[in-house]
Amino acid sequence: MAATVLTSYCCSSSLKPIDDSSKQLEETKSVKFPERARNSRRHPSRPSIKPNSPAVTRSLLALADSGCAMDSALQLFEKMNHSDTFIWNVIIRGLARNGLFSEAVDFYRRMEREGIRMDYFTFPFVIKACGELMWLTEGQRVHARLIKVGLDSDIYVCNFLVEMYFSVGCAELAEKVFEEMPQRDLVSWNSMVAGYLSAGDGFSSLGWFREMIGSGKKPDRFGVISALGACSKESCLKSGKEIHCLVIKNGIDLDVMVGTSLVDMYGKCGEVRSAEMVFHLIPLKNVAVWNSLINAYVVSGKSAESFACLRLMQEDQHMVPDAISLINVLPSCSQVGSLKECQSIHGYAFRKLLLPQVVLETSLVDAYGKCAAVRSAERLFSVISEKNLISWNTMIAVYVQNEKHEEALELFQEMCLKQYHHLKPDAITIASILPSYAELAMVNECKQIHALAAKFGSNTVISNALIHAYAKCGDLDTARRIFDRMPGKNLVSWNTMILAYGMHGFGETAIATFSQMRETGIEPDQGSFVSLLYSCSISGLIEQGWEYFNAMKSEYNIDPGIEQYGCMIDLLGRSGNLDAAREFIEQMPLPPTARIWGSFLSASRNNNDLASAELAASKISSLEHDNTGCYVLLSNMYAEAGRWEDVNRIKSLMKEKGLAKTTASCSVQIGGKSERFVYHDVSHREANMISEVLDVMLKQTGEDVKMNMKFRPVDLIKRRRGSPEGHAVRLAICLGLVSTAVGKPFVVRQNTRICKDCHRLAKKISRACNREIVVGDGKAFHHFNGGVCSCGDYW
DNA sequence: TTAGGGTTAG
């Protein structure tokens, strides 16, 4: 009988060729349950009343354990005697092991309904299934049941309960189960250490590990791996070293997984030499260890070593880089801004059939974006078949980082419309899109997002983005209020606040904020010095700027990056020493980027040095192809010098390259509404009134007849085509003057840099009207007050 | 018949 049953089931579906296993697995995942009998008396012919023979039971076990024959196991089960608890346990375990978690819970429910006796072996995998499904209520029902049947003190069952409660995000319940266990083994302790780590609380995880050691337990590889993961997460180098000693003492230092965790811990704590040392001591290395070492180099900014490590890995005959190897090395492409390396990794992934893989694809999108290859990022993003929230957020961030704010908003809106695909913006989406709203001076939208952000509770990432957004919208007070109310200020919060003061020309306050940060015990990073040096540059604090730049290496052991060098060129330009600025660029240890030459170009413009400006423009042109601002700035300098042939040459060059001059626009907030103007704008409903106010202001400030004698009449005629008389900023200032509260400052935003004429006029208006006028352009804010500007006439 | 693990994107 048993042989017949087995033969019939084997013939039906269970014995399939080995190379067809993936298909079998698919079939298993979509398994259909056979119709079961509701009442066995209706099916008197079924053999279920007879005890199950050992051979059939063994067959059931073999099918359920095989990993690809659950359908056959289920069919066999239906033919068997259901009163036997063992066969139910086998099926529940088999379903859970095959990832069929809800089916496992269904089977347990059926067992309950049919009144089958449950034992110690019934519960563990049902509990595991509840955890995997994040079904807290069902998990608690099972918990209640096992208390009822008196199995709640079983050490296996309790260990599964601890894990389940962590999986569903209830650390307190997990802890309660652990505390109430009559006996605990190493697995119980390890579950607590691993559970807190998976909950994202590395410190609690380490606390439990210490308690475990204190209770006299000898840690095994599982506990050590979790504890080292906690050290990596929280950058606890000291604890990591202590665990390393423990590992050597317990003789598990040669274990490849323990070794990987050690390499990872040292790498993430910035101790790359120790990571290398552990790596070399591991006798049998696998891909994961290599990947951890690559990551260690990346974390320490050692891009060249990370590329070399990947190459060495390829040269090792037994080692084949996988998707994680590439994911780990990609940030190095961003660090060095190497598009070629990025493309080469993309090509390798394609050739080695590592694509599609959403994490790798998303990492590539991010790397392309950071190498300013927005089109490549876009193309790749469009073909990711399984885009997830991180993929969308990454593409939005690529647009934002590359100042493609309209595109960022468009993608964000598309993402919001795709909510029916279960894609809901998270805190990072909100924080990523805020800079675009702020850059486009969409103040009301920023405020709406601020209101929306409340649903995320107190969220540091969002608060940091809000501080930046409000500062960018000219509302420094609200930015400071958000900063002061933040419960969890981090380094980024401080850096953002320093930058906020810097962009508004409050350099001294920026320095004071940096000192406050140090007093709270927070160590500065590269970003802190970008904020600080930028602030010194905007406020013309030349001496302090140099002091902090030199202190970076000597006091804080931080190598200045390309951005800090850029700030120093701004500072040198402000001191008027263009030769020194050029020498500084030539002696930099990093290759100058377009941003560096852009700073030199601004310095040349401010010092009216056309030859230097031409040098900068040619360098920029050789480094990138679409820098519109650079051409416009140079063209304006030629125009001011009356070199109209050169103006036309630049114009033709821009046309040839398909570059359109940015349409200058300006906005001012009036009664919660943004009023926008363009050049010579007469479309505003109050256009006549604005024009009259402007006339009065021009007369009052003596700017109504402005004859620059260095121009010949023909130059003046040509110059009038772009003359400052119709500049949008003047219209916005005039509307602001008459439409905002008397005596109160008001903010004007423009998307291009303010010209010299409008800057001079704004200073005079601020004195004539005794009003503070704030004008923000792409780089910083000009606070005009009493006839002077916070920028010190250098921008 | 019962458990846990390392390297991966914003």
Side-chain angles (χ1 to χ4, degrees):
Chain A
M1 162 75 194
T4 317
V5 171
L6 185 61
T7 312
S8 71
Y9 279 96
C10 288
C11 289
S12 63
S13 62
S14 64
L15 292 179
K16 293 185 179 176
I18 290 169
D19 59 359
D20 201 25
S21 57
S22 60
K23 199 177 164 202
Q24 287 184 37
L25 190 62
E26 282 302 306
E27 285 171 6
T28 308
K29 298 252 177 193
S30 60
V31 64
K32 294 274 185 297
F33 286 95
E35 197 61 40
R36 64 185 168 78
R38 286 175 190 275
N39 186 336
S40 60
R41 274 180 294 180
R42 287 183 199 164
H43 301 272
S45 61
R46 283 175 55 134
S48 59
I49 45 167
K50 292 181 186 172
N52 298 316
S53 74
V56 175
T57 304
R58 275 199 301 276
S59 299
L60 181 82
L61 194 59
L63 289 170
D65 279 351
S66 75
C68 56
M70 267 319 290
D71 51 349
S72 304
L74 286 163
Q75 284 176 41
L76 179 55
F77 172 86
E78 295 302 336
K79 303 268 180 183
M80 295 172 76
N81 178 355
H82 289 179
S83 63
D84 183 359
T85 298
F86 175 78
I87 64 165
W88 288 84
N89 294 348
V90 167
I91 292 294
I92 292 174
R93 191 189 67 178
L95 288 168
R97 280 183 174 168
N98 279 291
L100 298 162
F101 300 116
S102 60
E103 287 83 352
V105 176
D106 281 347
F107 227 83
Y108 162 80
R109 284 175 184 153
R110 181 180 158 190
M111 196 177 174
E112 257 187 336
R113 277 197 307 275
E114 294 191 10
I116 311 293
R117 186 184 60 86
M118 294 173 179
D119 63 13
Y120 290 111
F121 300 102
T122 309
F123 291 96
F125 283 96
V126 185
I127 295 168
K128 185 180 175 63
C130 293
E132 293 287 340
L133 294 161
M134 308 272 282
W135 285 359
L136 172 62
T137 312
E138 188 62 35
Q140 285 181 304
R141 249 197 75 212
V142 177
H143 190 174
R145 171 91 192 177
L146 62 93
I147 291 171
K148 199 175 163 188
V149 296
L151 297 174
D152 59 319
S153 56
D154 179 69
I155 203 158
Y156 264 92
V157 171
C158 287
N159 288 345
F160 273 91
L161 276 175
V162 168
E163 198 191 324
M164 182 270 290
Y165 280 124
F166 272 119
S167 296
V168 298
C170 295
E172 281 177 15
L173 290 176
E175 208 168 304
K176 190 165 181 285
V177 171
F178 179 87
E179 297 292 358
E180 288 173 1
M181 282 171 78
Q183 283 178 323
R184 299 172 194 116
D185 61 7
L186 203 50
V187 178
S188 323
W189 285 95
N190 288 346
S191 299
M192 293 306 292
V193 180
Y196 270 110
L197 177 63
S198 68
D201 183 354
F203 291 115
S204 294
S205 171
L206 277 175
W208 278 95
F209 184 74
R210 280 194 201 101
E211 209 169 312
M212 179 179 96
I213 305 288
S215 77
K217 287 273 180 298
K218 185 183 167 191
D220 63 0
R221 55 213 289 265
F222 298 106
V224 156
I225 287 166
S226 297
L228 286 170
C231 298
S232 298
K233 179 162 192 335
E234 310 295 356
S235 296
C236 292
L237 180 62
K238 194 167 170 275
S239 302
K241 283 181 175 174
E242 284 167 9
I243 295 168
H244 191 180
C245 292
L246 211 59
V247 161
I248 296 169
K249 198 173 145 196
N250 291 351
I252 47 175
D253 53 324
L254 301 183
D255 179 281
V256 71
M257 286 192 189
V258 172
T260 305
S261 299
L262 280 166
V263 171
D264 180 65
M265 180 275 294
Y266 280 121
K268 291 201 173 125
C269 291
E271 292 272 307
V272 72
R273 297 298 158 228
S274 303
E276 276 173 342
M277 197 186 72
V278 174
F279 174 84
H280 289 301
L281 288 173
I282 299 170
L284 292 169
K285 298 177 186 66
N286 61 15
V287 180
V289 195
W290 280 87
N291 291 350
S292 292
L293 187 65
I294 292 174
N295 198 40
Y297 287 128
V298 171
V299 167
S300 294
K302 300 193 178 303
S303 313
E305 281 93 334
S306 73
F307 290 132
C309 189
L310 184 70
R311 272 193 293 276
L312 269 174
M313 193 179 173
Q314 284 173 278
E315 285 164 16
D316 187 323
Q317 287 184 340
H318 307 289
M319 215 51 64
V320 179
D322 63 5
I324 300 177
S325 320
L326 307 187
I327 291 161
N328 284 356
V329 85
L330 274 168
S332 286
C333 304
S334 317
Q335 275 171 15
V336 295
S338 170
L339 180 57
K340 274 188 185 165
E341 290 283 1
C342 208
Q343 288 166 330
S344 146
I345 289 167
H346 192 175
Y348 180 89
F350 186 77
R351 287 194 304 279
K352 299 289 177 185
L353 306 176
L354 296 172
L355 296 173
Q357 206 269 40
V358 68
V359 179
L360 178 54
E361 289 166 315
T362 305
S363 304
L364 278 163
V365 168
D366 178 60
Y368 274 129
K370 288 187 175 134
C371 293
V374 182
R375 295 288 162 253
S376 302
E378 246 173 10
R379 271 197 298 274
L380 180 55
F381 176 75
S382 69
V383 297
I384 302 178
S385 53
E386 291 184 14
K387 289 184 193 73
N388 58 25
L389 184 59
I390 302 180
S391 322
W392 283 82
N393 288 350
T394 303
M395 192 62 225
I396 290 172
V398 165
Y399 282 134
V400 176
Q401 285 153 13
N402 288 278
E403 296 176 7
K404 307 270 182 202
H405 299 295
E406 280 91 358
E407 287 90 337
L409 291 183
E410 213 173 290
L411 195 67
F412 173 61
Q413 278 149 14
E414 191 188 333
M415 180 184 167
C416 293
L417 288 174
K418 281 186 185 279
Q419 276 195 16
Y420 55 89
H421 287 319
H422 310 294
L423 261 178
K424 282 187 182 166
D426 67 355
I428 296 185
T429 322
I430 300 295
S432 300
I433 200 62
L434 261 170
S436 286
Y437 281 120
E439 283 298 333
L440 297 172
M442 296 167 81
V443 183
N444 292 334
E445 283 78 1
C446 286
K447 285 180 183 168
Q448 281 169 16
I449 291 202
H450 190 176
L452 257 177
K455 79 169 182 182
F456 294 101
S458 92
N459 182 301
T460 305
V461 177
I462 294 184
S463 296
N464 293 345
L466 282 168
I467 293 170
H468 186 255
Y470 276 107
K472 267 276 171 189
C473 291
D475 190 351
L476 198 51
D477 289 342
T478 305
R480 178 73 207 201
R481 222 171 15 253
I482 294 169
F483 177 78
D484 286 336
R485 288 177 186 169
M486 274 177 79
K489 290 183 195 71
N490 62 12
L491 178 60
V492 178
S493 322
W494 284 94
N495 292 351
T496 310
M497 200 61 234
I498 295 168
L499 191 75
Y501 283 124
M503 74 171 79
H504 282 274
F506 299 111
E508 300 283 3
T509 318
I511 291 175
T513 310
F514 177 80
S515 303
Q516 280 169 23
M517 180 185 88
R518 298 282 296 111
E519 281 161 20
T520 61
I522 293 181
E523 288 297 320
D525 68 350
Q526 288 257 2
S528 317
F529 285 98
V530 172
S531 296
L532 196 57
L533 297 174
Y534 163 84
S535 304
C536 291
S537 147
I538 295 289
S539 298
L541 303 170
I542 296 171
E543 269 181 41
Q544 291 96 321
W546 279 109
E547 272 172 32
Y548 282 114
F549 180 76
N550 293 327
M552 271 187 81
K553 187 72 193 163
S554 63
E555 202 175 321
Y556 300 99
N557 197 26
I558 298 173
D559 287 323
I562 201 76
E563 288 196 79
Q564 287 94 11
Y565 281 106
C567 294
M568 297 319 288
I569 293 154
D570 286 339
L571 263 181
L572 282 164
R574 185 176 275 273
S575 64
N577 196 340
L578 284 182
D579 289 336
R582 196 167 46 242
E583 268 175 41
F584 187 77
I585 294 174
E586 283 161 5
Q587 286 167 10
M588 269 172 27
L590 302 170
T593 59
R595 152 84 175 89
I596 293 291
W597 287 111
S599 294
F600 187 71
L601 180 62
S602 293
S604 310
R605 196 272 314 255
N606 278 296
N607 290 289
N608 288 318
D609 186 331
L610 243 175
S612 296
E614 283 173 329
L615 168 76
S618 73
K619 296 281 188 188
I620 293 169
S621 188
S622 67
L623 286 166
E624 60 178 8
H625 306 288
D626 58 352
N627 194 311
T628 313
C630 151
Y631 289 112
V632 172
L633 207 145
L634 190 62
S635 169
N636 288 347
M637 284 181 76
Y638 284 135
E640 281 175 19
R643 288 169 55 173
W644 303 109
E645 280 176 16
D646 287 315
V647 171
N648 288 334
R649 184 172 55 81
I650 297 285
K651 211 171 160 185
S652 308
L653 201 63
M654 284 179 73
K655 203 173 171 185
E656 207 177 284
K657 289 175 181 276
L659 300 175
K661 191 175 168 180
T662 312
T663 306
S665 74
C666 209
S667 66
V668 58
Q669 286 285 308
I670 307 292
K673 198 167 166 263
S674 184
E675 304 281 355
R676 197 170 289 270
F677 297 90
V678 291
Y679 183 64
H680 269 308
D681 203 330
V682 288
S683 65
H684 196 273
R685 61 189 179 284
E686 300 283 5
N688 288 337
M689 182 270 286
I690 292 168
S691 173
E692 282 170 24
V693 174
L694 180 57
D695 282 343
V696 172
M697 283 297 112
L698 288 168
K699 279 183 190 139
Q700 211 171 326
T701 56
E703 289 281 319
D704 50 339
V705 184
K706 188 67 205 168
M707 296 290 283
N708 192 330
M709 296 312 288
K710 80 178 175 186
F711 290 106
R712 291 168 294 143
V714 63
D715 294 334
L716 277 177
I717 292 161
K718 286 188 178 177
R719 194 168 182 258
R720 284 205 72 80
R721 269 191 256 150
S723 64
E725 284 78 12
H727 279 179
V729 66
R730 295 174 174 223
L731 309 176
I733 287 176
C734 288
L735 182 65
L737 276 176
V738 294
S739 307
T740 57
V742 179
K744 296 277 180 194
F746 62 91
V747 182
V748 168
R749 289 282 309 275
Q750 70 172 58
N751 61 348
T752 53
R753 292 211 193 165
I754 189 168
C755 77
K756 285 180 183 175
D757 295 294
C758 292
H759 193 268
R760 188 178 58 244
L761 177 66
K763 282 199 294 184
K764 288 182 177 177
I765 293 177
S766 74
R767 187 172 52 204
C769 299
N770 196 23
R771 291 284 294 270
E772 183 182 352
I773 302 167
V774 184
V775 177
D777 62 17
K779 194 183 176 195
F781 282 82
H782 300 258
H783 286 248
F784 299 100
N785 207 352
V788 292
C789 179
S790 57
C791 76
D793 298 338
Y794 185 99
W795 68 99

